């Protein structure tokens, strides 16, 4: 079966790490490039984390740094711990020496070149703020129209409220970029909190990662144990822990993993106020506005976590 060409734009991040392992270890995807965006942590840290993940898992891929701040609004993240720790990937000591280096070209340049040269349409997977994807769409609208098969993104929320109504980190941090993406007319599948907080891992999954008997599994189990601890401290203890970003990859590897989704109109307010950067989902279909997003609500959890184990087992 032909591999699906994808570009992953991310801000590792523990769950971005799972998304990268899932994609890089899958026989179904051809990861053409990994691009980084300032999100969980500043650009320097997310690039370093990306290269550490690749190096440790024995995977190779171009890594291109992108935007170091949102398109319009300020970059508001501090170096505080948050749920990814100070490094952005607390919980595992990667080897100090890493021979891998980032590209000297910027994310949008690399993305555009891949789109131009690809015979197949390419899937863009976003697991951080949508700054790079928004800039790509604004800079190369015709190229995106012709060569982007769709955008699979972790972001937003329809009903699930973690802290503030309709707010999710990736979509609010750069709300203007989110608005560009959601109004682009490109096919968008949104994996928001409604599905990611239904797709929690527990101790048995961590034990299964260790039981793989390879370094990738051991690295993942150590990082995810720490992520779980931090998530419980920063947010809420749900008896399990989400791996938000991996959901956006799983649906491209095997669409049958999605068991419930619905197409609807989603609006991104950007004017100042309590809803700036929210994902306002017209789930009652009353706006009269054209549906622009497939919102995912449920996945087959057993199949999802099996996919992650299979990919992790295929790496070093
Ligand atoms: O809200 C979850 C999202 O924010 C995930 O992408 C996580 O990595 C953080 O970036
Ligand atoms: Ca992320």
């Amino acid at each position: 079966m032909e591999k699906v060409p994808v570009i992953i734009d991310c801000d590792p991040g523990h769950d971005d790490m799972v998304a990268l392992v899932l994609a890089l270890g899958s026989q179904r995807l051809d990861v053409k490039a990994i691009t980084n965006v300032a999100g969980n942590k500043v650009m320097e840290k997310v690039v370093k984390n990306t290269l550490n993940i690749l190096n440790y898992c024995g995977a190779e891929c171009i890594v291109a740094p992108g935007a170091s701040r949102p398109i319009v609004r300020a970059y508001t993240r501090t170096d505080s711990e948050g749920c990814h720790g100070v490094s952005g990937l607390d919980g595992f000591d990667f080897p100090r020496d890493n021979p891998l280096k980032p590209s000297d070209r910027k994310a949008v340049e690399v993305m555009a070149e891949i789109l131009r040269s690809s015979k197949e349409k390419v899937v863009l997977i976003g697991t951080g703020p949508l700054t790079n994807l928004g800039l790509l769409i604004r800079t190369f609208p015709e190229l995106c129209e012709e060569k982007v098969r769709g955008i699979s993104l972790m972001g937003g929320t329809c009903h699930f409220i973690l802290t503030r109504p309709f707010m999710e980190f990736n979509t609010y941090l750069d709300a203007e970029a989110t608005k560009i993406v959601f109004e682009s007319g490109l096919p968008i599948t949104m994996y928001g909190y409604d599905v990611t907080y239904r797709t929690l891992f527990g101790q048995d999954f961590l034990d299964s990662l260790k039981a793989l008997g390879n370094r990738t599994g051991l690295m993942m189990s150590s990082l995810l144990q720490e992520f779980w601890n931090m998530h419980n401290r920063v947010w809420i203890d749900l008896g399990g822990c989400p791996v938000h970003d991996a959901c956006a990859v799983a649906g491209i590897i095997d669409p049958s993993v999605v068991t419930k989704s619905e197409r609807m109109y989603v609006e991104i307010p950007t004017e100042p106020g309590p809803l700036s950067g929210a994902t306002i989902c017209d789930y009652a279909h009353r706006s009269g506005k054209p549906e622009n997003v497939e919102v995912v609500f449920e996945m087959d959890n057993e199949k999802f976590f099996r996919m992650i184990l299979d990919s992790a087992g295929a790496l070093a």
Side-chain angles (χ1 to χ4, degrees):
M1 177 178 277
E2 282 291 299
K3 290 194 171 189
V4 178
V6 302
I7 296 171
I8 303 177
D9 188 70
C10 57
D11 63 336
H14 292 73
D15 52 332
D16 302 78
M17 175 277 293
V18 182
L20 289 175
V21 168
L22 177 56
L24 292 163
S26 169
Q27 297 306 308
R28 302 281 295 277
L29 301 185
D30 176 7
V31 183
K32 293 291 190 184
I34 298 168
T35 54
N36 288 142
V37 61
N40 282 319
K41 293 296 172 187
V42 295
M43 183 55 67
E44 179 193 354
K45 289 188 175 181
V46 296
V47 170
K48 179 179 178 185
N49 291 339
T50 302
L51 295 172
N52 275 339
I53 294 161
L54 285 176
N55 185 44
Y56 201 76
C57 296
E60 290 186 9
C61 188
I62 182 172
V63 175
S68 296
R69 55 155 295 175
I71 294 175
V72 175
R73 52 192 67 197
Y75 177 70
T76 54
R77 297 288 285 173
T78 63
D79 251 358
S80 67
E81 184 185 275
C83 62
H84 297 285
V86 174
S87 73
L89 265 187
D90 282 17
F92 184 77
D93 293 329
F94 288 96
R96 186 176 299 277
D97 298 329
N98 183 346
L100 301 181
K101 302 292 179 227
S103 167
D104 56 9
R105 290 177 298 152
K106 300 297 276 186
V108 172
E109 295 174 271
V110 169
M111 288 168 154
E113 184 181 280
I114 288 168
L115 291 178
R116 275 191 213 97
S117 60
S118 177
K119 292 185 182 57
E120 305 290 323
K121 286 198 167 192
V122 179
V123 175
L124 305 180
I125 299 176
T127 69
L130 297 171
T131 313
N132 292 333
L133 300 187
L135 291 169
L136 178 74
I137 291 166
R138 274 285 186 273
T139 311
F140 301 102
E142 297 81 9
L143 181 62
C144 288
E145 175 66 29
E146 182 198 351
K147 302 299 279 295
V148 172
R149 191 179 100 177
I151 297 175
S152 181
L153 62 91
M154 189 281 137
T157 190
C158 183
H159 304 297
F160 186 95
I161 297 178
L162 182 61
T163 54
R164 294 179 293 151
F166 321 121
M167 289 293 180
E168 181 281 326
F169 175 77
N170 287 339
T171 43
Y172 80 67
L173 191 89
D174 189 344
E176 285 73 16
T178 305
K179 184 176 174 66
I180 290 168
V181 171
F182 279 51
E183 293 182 352
S184 65
L186 294 170
I188 295 168
T189 305
M190 177 180 120
Y191 295 81
Y193 286 157
D194 303 281
V195 64
T196 67
Y197 273 103
R198 280 200 179 96
T199 315
L200 308 178
F201 71 80
Q203 189 57 50
D204 56 337
F205 179 63
L206 298 183
D207 295 342
S208 300
L209 284 168
K210 285 185 202 137
L212 289 173
N214 66 352
R215 53 197 257 165
T216 296
L218 291 173
M219 175 267 290
M220 292 177 76
S221 62
S222 178
L223 282 171
L224 290 179
Q225 178 65 73
E226 182 63 15
F227 180 51
W228 189 357
N229 299 339
M230 293 189 285
H231 184 277
N232 286 353
R233 279 201 302 273
V234 171
W235 301 121
I236 41 177
D237 183 349
L238 297 167
C241 186
V243 276
H244 305 286
D245 295 330
C247 297
V249 173
I252 303 300
I253 293 173
D254 180 355
S256 72
V257 76
V258 172
T259 52
K260 184 182 176 191
S261 67
E262 187 176 346
R263 190 160 175 73
M264 63 184 74
Y265 173 65
V266 179
E267 182 170 340
I268 316 295
T270 54
E271 57 280 359
L275 288 180
S276 184
T279 45
I280 309 297
C281 299
D282 180 22
Y283 61 89
H285 304 282
R286 292 196 179 136
S287 71
K289 302 264 180 83
E291 296 161 348
N292 57 339
V293 182
E294 186 75 23
V295 177
V296 178
F297 290 97
E298 289 176 19
M299 288 178 25
D300 177 333
N301 286 11
E302 190 176 337
K303 181 179 283 190
F304 172 65
F305 287 109
R306 178 74 258 151
M307 289 164 74
I308 297 172
L309 290 168
D310 290 346
S311 281
L315 297 174

